[in-house]
Amino acid sequence: MSVKIGIVGYGLGGRYFHAPFVDAATGITLGGIVTRSASRVAQAEADFPGVPVFASLGEVIDSGVDAVTITTPPQTRRELVLEAIGRGVHVIADKPFAPDVETARELVAAADHAGVLLSVYHNRRYDADIRTLMSVLPRLGDIWRIESHFDLDGADTLESGPTGGLLRDIGAHVVDQMLWLFGPAERVDAHLDHVDRPEGRTDAGFVVNIAHRSGVYSSVSSSKVNHLEGRRLRAFGSLGSYVADGTDVQAQALFAGTRPVDDPTGWGYERRERWGVLHTADGAETVPSQRGAYQDYYTEFAAAVAGTGEQPVPARTALGTIAVLAAAREAAESGSTVVVPSVD
């Protein structure tokens, strides 16, 4: 049986980072799209002919979907997630799935009480560069330090106002990647770059340094208004290092008009000339790209709904990312190192 899912919101996220991957996943079908904007209704109907478009979360749930993805703006997310949980459907919440740890715990508790799955869309665990980094970590010995830089030339896509900012956007992804690979954070220091917008002062760049309980030290950074585009990873360990200067492979393909269903075998691989290099006592070795595939997130989620697999990112396991984001903001404002409270 195929799981039927509705996508709530058809802006940049819903159109490019959710719907195409539901379409390419196994065991799940797109049962409806929720959007009110006339232009986005037209886009949804053109992108997915035959998929019904609804005006509200309630309507798509009434249509008989098993689950919904909530990919509306952050300030609307809590109420919609709670509404969906209250209606008894499984939920994928876009990141950050809550503004703070207290709200995150509230959503987790609500899902537990209702007996439904609540997953967080940390899809960038399925990026080609992170999967490739993960594949070489055992060859680096004891991991000492990681640097992750993700710069985007996209000032027009910066979410402004009190619930926006780049730390909550790309920061949620790159912090989650580090916690996923190297375990919980012990302490954090950070710096934020700010711009003034009509909606309010907004962070448009950041550096976050994380001391993990495992002993690994990771540094993540991003910018969005500096006319810079690039993805860089550096990993240092007792046996060597790994360096990669790649691209945002899946996003670039999507914005160029290609979907994963168009290239099932070739989707998600970094170009050969951008492959990373492993440096050890044996010399330098070019490392072929692992596959990046956001559709795998939806395939795993469908299996969890069907009772045949585990959730890709249960919300309970994403509490650490929310805690680090809050600690980073506090550290940037205070100019001091902040101890991250345990959320285990």
Side-chain angles (χ1 to χ4, degrees):
M1 182 188 75
S2 181
V3 172
K4 186 183 291 187
I5 192 166
I7 293 177
V8 184
Y10 205 65
L12 185 70
R15 188 182 189 194
Y16 289 102
F17 290 99
H18 289 280
F21 297 103
V22 172
D23 196 34
T26 300
I28 193 166
T29 57
L30 183 55
I33 295 169
V34 176
T35 185
R36 292 193 181 97
S37 162
S39 61
R40 289 177 179 171
V41 168
Q43 287 174 343
E45 291 175 341
D47 292 342
F48 296 96
V51 174
V53 178
F54 300 96
S56 70
L57 171 61
E59 289 181 15
V60 76
I61 293 175
D62 289 340
S63 74
V65 297
D66 305 295
V68 293
T69 291
I70 307 297
T71 182
T72 55
Q75 65 270 22
T76 67
R77 212 160 285 159
R78 173 185 173 273
E79 288 73 18
L80 291 172
V81 169
L82 287 174
E83 180 182 347
I85 288 172
R87 293 289 305 275
V89 297
H90 306 289
V91 180
I92 295 171
D94 220 333
K95 54 74 208 168
F97 82 106
D100 50 54
V101 173
E102 181 181 2
T103 304
R105 290 190 188 279
E106 175 193 19
L107 299 179
V108 169
D112 287 346
H113 180 74
V116 299
L117 303 182
L118 175 60
S119 290
V120 179
Y121 197 59
H122 283 309
N123 59 306
R124 288 192 177 274
R125 296 185 184 187
Y126 300 80
D127 273 341
D129 55 6
I130 287 298
R131 292 283 168 162
T132 307
L133 170 63
M134 185 169 62
S135 76
V136 303
L137 288 177
R139 301 180 61 185
L140 294 178
D142 295 329
I143 306 301
W144 294 340
R145 178 165 51 92
I146 305 290
E147 298 174 4
S148 171
H149 306 274
F150 194 179
D151 296 306
L152 297 160
D153 186 10
D156 58 328
T157 64
L158 180 67
E159 293 181 338
S160 300
T163 62
L166 197 60
L167 181 63
R168 289 189 176 96
D169 180 11
I170 297 300
H173 282 309
V174 293
V175 166
D176 174 74
Q177 289 173 339
M178 294 300 102
L179 299 185
W180 178 55
L181 290 176
F182 306 112
E186 184 174 88
R187 61 187 186 277
V188 166
D189 62 76
H191 169 80
L192 299 178
D193 303 316
H194 289 93
V195 293
D196 291 318
R197 293 287 182 87
E199 301 89 345
R201 192 167 183 254
T202 302
D203 58 275
F206 63 81
V207 178
V208 178
N209 302 308
I210 306 169
H212 297 260
R213 294 183 206 166
S214 62
V216 176
Y217 186 86
S218 65
S219 180
V220 298
S221 68
S222 183
S223 66
K224 212 169 191 179
V225 300
N226 298 100
H227 310 292
L228 182 65
E229 191 89 28
R231 182 75 173 107
R232 185 175 66 182
L233 289 168
R234 301 286 187 271
F236 302 88
S238 60
L239 298 181
S241 62
Y242 173 74
V243 298
D245 294 277
T247 59
D248 195 4
V249 180
Q250 296 184 78
Q252 289 183 352
L254 289 164
F255 294 142
T258 303
R259 296 180 185 176
V261 292
D262 299 329
D263 188 13
T265 59
W267 178 265
Y269 292 98
E270 182 59 272
R271 300 192 307 273
R272 181 181 291 269
E273 62 268 24
R274 305 303 291 267
W275 286 357
V277 179
L278 178 68
H279 299 268
T280 67
D282 296 327
E285 175 188 338
T286 300
V287 180
S289 172
Q290 295 286 312
R291 188 186 194 201
Y294 300 155
Q295 62 266 38
D296 289 353
Y297 180 103
Y298 273 104
T299 296
E300 292 173 20
F301 181 76
V305 171
T308 59
E310 298 295 324
Q311 290 184 74
V313 188
R316 188 181 306 279
T317 67
L319 292 172
T321 297
I322 301 295
V324 169
L325 295 178
R329 193 167 297 279
E330 180 184 347
E333 292 173 353
S334 66
S336 60
T337 298
V338 174
V339 174
V340 182
S342 175
V343 293
D344 297 343

